[in-house]
């Protein structure tokens, strides 16, 4: 059984205007998205800003209520949880945020931050000291940082504290939302390797959200490519990079800088702006930027379907299923 199942998930945010804040539209941040995550797997979610990947992660965390659709963790639907079950769920699903500084209370020392987390989830006071030291050790931080405040650390160290807070609950699933994009390049690889080590040692499952295809490739077993709230392509990481099918994926790959200027990974340059999610294009959402668009692309939204050669490689494009 998959650890996480997402079925036809939609998250629309109302757009209001006027004195009476009448709803005049909706931002279709996540629009009919379905996928599963296997235990121990890393599923990468990649796409440009505004594609819905962070909203999707926040729905899974329970930070946003879905407009419709289902989210199941270990077979249990999130929508049907009682208050006490929600607390247990919150311990099972943790999040690592993009900006560790914003996610840590600046008035608390590292000891207070970690102890609070253990206390909220009912860990006995007698084991708090060992719990805190144990989790610091897991993220390679020394005990002398316990009395310091978040502002006294570098960005990489702060992210280690954020990771310590996430793994402290022995979670089943961690949603990593752009966990290294706010860090210096020199620090990024250390944090990514820490996440990989923790996954191996603790058997963690990651939903890894990033706009950076190189980072996602390094971390992921499978990758979802999102655009304007919809999944454009889903495949295992090797296949996606070796044989991207969707024109949007090809364009994203083409935009990755490579050391040799004569080499390109994709075939199409990505041109134009991302359309508004409040008023997405009719038909295929990529039709305003796609060089292959034909009449059907402006009329009918393509379904996400498996390719004939590989049932696990899904693409939403009329080019392949006309
Ligand atoms: Fe391009 Fe049409 Fe495929 Fe959309 S469905 S990606 S517009 S060819």
């Amino acid at each position: 059984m998959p650890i996480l199942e997402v079925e036809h998930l939609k998250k629309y945010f109302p757009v209001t205007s006027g004195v009476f804040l009448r709803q005049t539209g909706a931002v279709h941040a996540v629009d009919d998205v379905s996928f599963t995550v296997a235990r121990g797997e890393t599923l990468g979610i990649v796409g440009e800003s505004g594609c819905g990947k962070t909203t999707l992660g926040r729905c899974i965390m329970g930070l946003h209520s879905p407009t419709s659709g289902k989210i199941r963790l270990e077979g249990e639907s999130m929508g049907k949880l009682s208050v006490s079950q929600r607390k247990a769920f919150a311990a099972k699903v943790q999040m690592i945020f993009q900006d560790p500084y914003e996610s840590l209370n600046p008035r608390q020392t590292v000891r207070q931050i970690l102890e609070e987390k253990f206390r909220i989830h009912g860990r006995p006071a007698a084991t708090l000291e060992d719990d805190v030291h144990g989790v610091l050790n897991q993220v390679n931080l020394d005990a002398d940082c316990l009395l310091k405040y978040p502002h006294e650390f570098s960005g990489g160290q702060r992210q280690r504290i954020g990771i310590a807070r996430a793994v402290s609950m022995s979670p089943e699933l961690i949603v990593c939302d752009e966990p290294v994009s706010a860090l210096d390049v020199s620090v990024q690889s250390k944090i990514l390797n820490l996440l990989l080590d923790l996954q191996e040692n603790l058997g963690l499952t990651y939903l890894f959200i990033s706009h950076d295809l190189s980072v996602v490739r390094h971390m992921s077993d499978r990758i979802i490519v999102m655009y304007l709230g919809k999944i454009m392509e889903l495949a295992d990481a090797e296949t996606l990079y070796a044989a991207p099918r969707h024109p949007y994926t090809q364009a994203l790959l083409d935009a990755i800088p490579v050391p040799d200027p004569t080499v390109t990974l994709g075939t199409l340059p990505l041109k134009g702006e991302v359309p508004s999610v409040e008023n997405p294009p009719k038909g295929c959402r990529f039709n305003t930027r796609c060089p292959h668009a034909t009449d059907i692309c402006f009329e009918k939204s393509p379904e996400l379907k498996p390719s004939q050669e590989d049932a696990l490689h899904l693409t939403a494009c009329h080019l392949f299923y006309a």
Side-chain angles (χ1 to χ4, degrees):
M1 182 176 67
I3 191 165
L4 177 73
E5 297 162 88
V6 174
E7 264 178 34
H8 301 294
L9 187 76
K10 293 184 182 177
K11 179 60 189 174
Y12 296 170
F13 294 100
V15 176
T16 55
S17 66
V19 186
F20 299 108
L21 297 178
R22 258 186 346 114
Q23 185 173 343
T24 52
V27 169
H28 297 204
V30 177
D31 205 354
D32 200 5
V33 163
S34 301
F35 61 89
T36 59
V37 184
R39 190 176 291 278
E41 163 178 63
T42 298
L43 178 67
I45 301 185
V46 73
E48 291 168 284
S49 172
C51 72
K53 54 191 189 305
T54 291
T55 303
L56 176 59
R58 286 175 172 264
C59 287
I60 290 164
M61 279 296 301
L63 299 175
H64 290 321
S65 311
T67 304
S68 63
K70 290 202 174 95
I71 299 170
R72 280 192 289 269
L73 186 74
E74 296 180 309
E76 239 182 308
S77 175
M78 263 179 70
K80 294 183 180 159
L81 299 181
S82 64
V83 175
S84 62
Q85 285 171 322
R86 276 205 171 269
K87 201 170 167 189
F89 177 89
K92 284 182 184 176
V93 185
Q94 294 289 308
M95 192 161 192
I96 297 170
F97 295 88
Q98 175 178 2
D99 184 348
Y101 197 52
E102 279 186 11
S103 66
L104 300 172
N105 186 339
R107 293 195 184 86
Q108 287 186 320
T109 62
V110 173
R111 179 186 288 282
Q112 288 168 328
I113 289 168
L114 295 176
E115 282 188 354
E116 181 182 60
K117 191 84 173 172
F118 283 118
R119 263 198 219 102
I120 287 172
H121 290 281
R123 207 68 72 94
T127 67
L128 273 185
E129 189 69 17
D130 286 349
D131 286 337
V132 166
H133 282 274
V135 81
L136 271 189
N137 198 29
Q138 282 175 324
V139 299
N140 303 324
L141 283 175
D142 294 331
D144 59 9
C145 76
L146 282 172
L147 296 178
K148 293 184 183 171
Y149 292 86
H151 74 269
E152 297 178 75
F153 295 93
S154 67
Q157 286 172 321
R158 276 200 289 268
Q159 194 54 295
R160 283 177 194 271
I161 298 166
I163 294 169
R165 198 177 51 172
V167 299
S168 62
M169 291 296 100
S170 308
E172 301 287 351
L173 173 74
I174 297 184
V175 177
C176 307
D177 184 11
E178 303 269 12
V180 295
S181 60
L183 303 176
D184 289 346
V185 176
S186 59
V187 181
Q188 288 186 0
S189 61
K190 289 180 185 158
I191 296 296
L192 294 176
N193 287 336
L194 171 65
L195 289 172
L196 289 171
D197 288 346
L198 289 171
Q199 183 171 41
E200 193 177 324
N201 297 337
L202 305 176
L204 296 170
T205 305
Y206 291 142
L207 197 66
F208 193 92
I209 297 167
S210 176
H211 68 283
D212 187 331
L213 263 162
S214 306
V215 169
V216 169
R217 181 186 196 181
H218 181 65
M219 295 298 292
S220 309
D221 300 300
R222 291 185 303 142
I223 296 174
I224 283 175
V225 179
M226 281 188 77
Y227 185 77
L228 279 185
K230 283 194 174 287
I231 296 178
M232 298 286 118
E233 189 161 5
L234 167 55
D236 73 74
E238 288 310 312
T239 305
L240 194 87
Y241 280 80
R245 288 163 64 87
H246 198 283
Y248 179 56
T249 312
Q250 292 174 1
L252 281 181
L253 287 172
D254 208 39
I256 297 177
V258 288
D260 182 349
T262 63
V263 175
T264 53
L265 294 170
T267 53
L268 296 166
L270 190 55
K271 289 186 181 151
E273 294 294 314
V274 181
S276 159
V277 271
E278 190 184 335
N279 193 14
K282 188 170 175 261
C284 173
R285 298 215 167 164
F286 191 54
N287 62 22
T288 59
R289 300 168 88 189
C290 180
H292 303 299
T294 57
D295 288 350
I296 190 173
C297 305
F298 294 90
E299 291 156 15
K300 197 174 162 202
S301 179
E303 280 178 52
L304 186 69
K305 290 188 191 170
S307 74
Q308 280 182 341
E309 308 81 47
D310 181 355
L312 301 177
H313 189 170
L314 311 178
T315 317
C317 177
H318 291 306
L319 277 182
F320 302 101
Y321 312 111

Coordinates of all heavy atoms in Angstrom, one line a residue, residues 232 245-248 283-294 296-298 300-302 315-320, ligand 1:
M232 N 1.8 17.8 -15.6 CA 2.1 17.7 -17.1 C 2.8 16.4 -17.4 O 2.6 15.8 -18.4 CB 3.1 18.8 -17.5 CG 2.5 20.2 -17.3 SD 1.3 20.6 -18.6 CE -0.2 20.9 -17.6
R245 N 9.0 13.8 -22.4 CA 8.0 13.7 -23.5 C 7.2 15.1 -23.6 O 7.0 15.5 -24.7 CB 7.0 12.6 -23.3 CG 7.6 11.2 -23.5 CD 6.8 10.1 -22.9 NE 5.5 10.0 -23.4 CZ 5.1 9.3 -24.5 NH1 6.1 8.6 -25.1 NH2 3.9 9.2 -24.9
H246 N 6.9 15.6 -22.5 CA 6.0 16.8 -22.6 C 6.9 18.0 -23.0 O 8.0 18.2 -22.5 CB 5.4 17.1 -21.2 CG 4.3 18.0 -21.2 ND1 4.4 19.4 -21.4 CD2 2.9 17.8 -21.2 CE1 3.2 19.9 -21.4 NE2 2.3 19.0 -21.3
P247 N 6.3 18.9 -23.9 CA 7.1 20.0 -24.3 C 7.5 21.0 -23.2 O 8.6 21.6 -23.3 CB 6.1 20.8 -25.3 CG 5.2 19.7 -25.8 CD 5.1 18.7 -24.7
Y248 N 6.7 21.0 -22.1 CA 7.1 21.9 -21.0 C 8.3 21.3 -20.3 O 9.2 22.0 -19.9 CB 5.9 22.0 -20.0 CG 6.3 22.9 -18.8 CD1 6.7 24.1 -18.9 CD2 6.1 22.3 -17.5 CE1 7.1 24.9 -17.8 CE2 6.4 23.1 -16.4 CZ 6.9 24.4 -16.6 OH 7.2 25.1 -15.5
G283 N -8.4 24.6 -22.6 CA -7.7 23.5 -23.2 C -6.5 23.2 -22.4 O -6.5 23.2 -21.2
C284 N -5.4 22.9 -23.1 CA -4.1 22.6 -22.5 C -3.6 23.9 -21.8 O -3.5 25.0 -22.5 CB -3.1 22.1 -23.5 SG -1.4 21.9 -22.7
R285 N -3.2 23.9 -20.6 CA -2.7 25.1 -19.9 C -1.4 25.6 -20.4 O -1.0 26.7 -20.2 CB -2.6 24.8 -18.4 CG -3.9 24.4 -17.8 CD -4.2 24.9 -16.5 NE -5.6 24.7 -16.2 CZ -6.1 24.8 -15.0 NH1 -5.3 25.0 -13.9 NH2 -7.4 24.6 -14.8
F286 N -0.7 24.8 -21.2 CA 0.6 25.2 -21.7 C 0.5 25.8 -23.1 O 1.5 26.1 -23.7 CB 1.6 24.0 -21.7 CG 3.0 24.3 -22.0 CD1 3.7 25.3 -21.2 CD2 3.7 23.7 -23.0 CE1 5.0 25.6 -21.5 CE2 5.1 24.0 -23.2 CZ 5.7 25.0 -22.5
N287 N -0.7 25.9 -23.6 CA -0.9 26.2 -25.1 C -0.4 27.6 -25.4 O 0.0 27.8 -26.6 CB -2.3 26.0 -25.5 CG -3.4 26.9 -24.8 OD1 -3.0 27.9 -24.3 ND2 -4.6 26.5 -24.8
T288 N -0.3 28.5 -24.5 CA 0.1 29.9 -24.8 C 1.7 29.9 -25.0 O 2.2 30.9 -25.6 CB -0.2 30.9 -23.7 OG1 0.4 30.5 -22.5 CG2 -1.7 31.0 -23.6
R289 N 2.4 28.9 -24.6 CA 3.8 28.9 -24.7 C 4.4 27.7 -25.5 O 5.6 27.6 -25.7 CB 4.4 28.9 -23.3 CG 4.0 30.0 -22.4 CD 4.4 29.8 -21.0 NE 5.7 30.3 -20.7 CZ 6.4 30.0 -19.5 NH1 5.8 29.3 -18.6 NH2 7.6 30.5 -19.3
C290 N 3.5 26.9 -26.0 CA 3.9 25.6 -26.6 C 4.1 25.8 -28.1 O 3.1 26.2 -28.8 CB 2.9 24.5 -26.3 SG 3.4 23.0 -27.1
P291 N 5.3 25.5 -28.7 CA 5.5 25.6 -30.1 C 4.7 24.6 -30.9 O 4.7 24.7 -32.2 CB 7.0 25.5 -30.3 CG 7.4 24.8 -29.1 CD 6.5 25.1 -28.0
H292 N 4.2 23.5 -30.3 CA 3.5 22.4 -31.0 C 2.0 22.6 -31.0 O 1.3 21.7 -31.4 CB 3.9 21.1 -30.4 CG 5.4 20.9 -30.4 ND1 6.2 20.8 -31.5 CD2 6.3 20.7 -29.3 CE1 7.5 20.6 -31.2 NE2 7.5 20.5 -29.9
A293 N 1.5 23.6 -30.3 CA 0.1 23.7 -30.1 C -0.7 23.7 -31.4 O -0.4 24.3 -32.4 CB -0.3 25.0 -29.3
T294 N -1.8 22.9 -31.5 CA -2.7 22.8 -32.6 C -4.1 23.1 -32.1 O -4.3 23.4 -30.9 CB -2.7 21.4 -33.3 OG1 -3.0 20.5 -32.3 CG2 -1.3 21.1 -33.8
I296 N -6.8 21.5 -31.3 CA -7.3 20.7 -30.2 C -6.7 21.2 -28.8 O -7.4 21.1 -27.8 CB -7.1 19.2 -30.4 CG1 -7.9 18.4 -29.3 CG2 -5.6 18.8 -30.3 CD1 -7.8 16.9 -29.5
C297 N -5.5 21.7 -28.9 CA -4.9 22.2 -27.6 C -5.6 23.3 -27.0 O -5.4 23.6 -25.8 CB -3.4 22.5 -27.9 SG -2.5 21.2 -28.7
F298 N -6.3 24.1 -27.9 CA -7.0 25.3 -27.4 C -8.5 24.9 -27.0 O -9.2 25.8 -26.5 CB -7.0 26.4 -28.4 CG -5.6 26.9 -28.6 CD1 -4.8 26.3 -29.6 CD2 -5.1 27.9 -27.9 CE1 -3.5 26.8 -29.8 CE2 -3.8 28.4 -28.1 CZ -3.0 27.8 -29.0
K300 N -9.5 21.3 -25.8 CA -9.6 20.2 -24.9 C -8.4 20.1 -24.0 O -7.3 20.1 -24.5 CB -9.8 18.9 -25.7 CG -10.4 17.8 -25.0 CD -10.6 16.6 -25.9 CE -10.8 15.4 -25.1 NZ -10.5 14.2 -25.9
S301 N -8.7 19.9 -22.7 CA -7.6 19.7 -21.8 C -7.1 18.2 -21.9 O -7.8 17.3 -21.8 CB -8.1 19.9 -20.3 OG -7.0 19.7 -19.4
P302 N -5.8 18.0 -22.1 CA -5.3 16.7 -22.3 C -5.3 15.9 -21.0 O -5.0 16.5 -19.9 CB -3.8 16.9 -22.8 CG -3.4 18.2 -22.4 CD -4.7 19.0 -22.3
T315 N 2.0 11.3 -19.3 CA 2.2 12.6 -19.9 C 0.8 13.2 -20.3 O -0.1 12.4 -20.7 CB 2.9 12.5 -21.3 OG1 4.1 11.7 -21.1 CG2 3.4 13.9 -21.8
A316 N 0.6 14.5 -20.1 CA -0.7 15.1 -20.4 C -0.4 16.0 -21.6 O 0.0 17.2 -21.5 CB -1.2 16.0 -19.2
C317 N -0.5 15.4 -22.8 CA -0.2 16.2 -24.0 C -0.9 15.5 -25.2 O -0.8 14.3 -25.4 CB 1.3 16.3 -24.3 SG 1.7 17.1 -25.8
H318 N -1.7 16.3 -26.0 CA -2.4 15.8 -27.2 C -1.4 15.2 -28.2 O -1.8 14.4 -29.1 CB -3.2 16.8 -27.8 CG -4.4 17.2 -27.0 ND1 -5.3 16.3 -26.5 CD2 -4.8 18.4 -26.5 CE1 -6.2 17.0 -25.7 NE2 -5.9 18.2 -25.8
L319 N -0.2 15.7 -28.2 CA 0.8 15.2 -29.2 C 0.9 13.7 -29.2 O 1.1 13.0 -30.3 CB 2.2 15.7 -28.9 CG 2.6 17.1 -29.4 CD1 4.1 17.3 -29.0 CD2 2.4 17.3 -30.9
F320 N 0.8 13.1 -28.0 CA 1.0 11.6 -27.9 C -0.3 10.8 -27.9 O -0.2 9.6 -28.1 CB 1.7 11.4 -26.6 CG 3.0 12.1 -26.5 CD1 3.1 13.3 -25.8 CD2 4.1 11.6 -27.2 CE1 4.3 14.0 -25.7 CE2 5.3 12.3 -27.1 CZ 5.4 13.5 -26.4
Ligands
LIG1 FE1 1.6 21.6 -26.5 FE2 -0.8 20.8 -27.2 FE3 0.8 19.2 -25.9 FE4 -0.3 21.2 -24.6 S1 -1.4 19.5 -25.5 S2 1.8 20.6 -24.5 S3 -0.3 22.8 -26.2 S4 1.1 20.0 -28.0

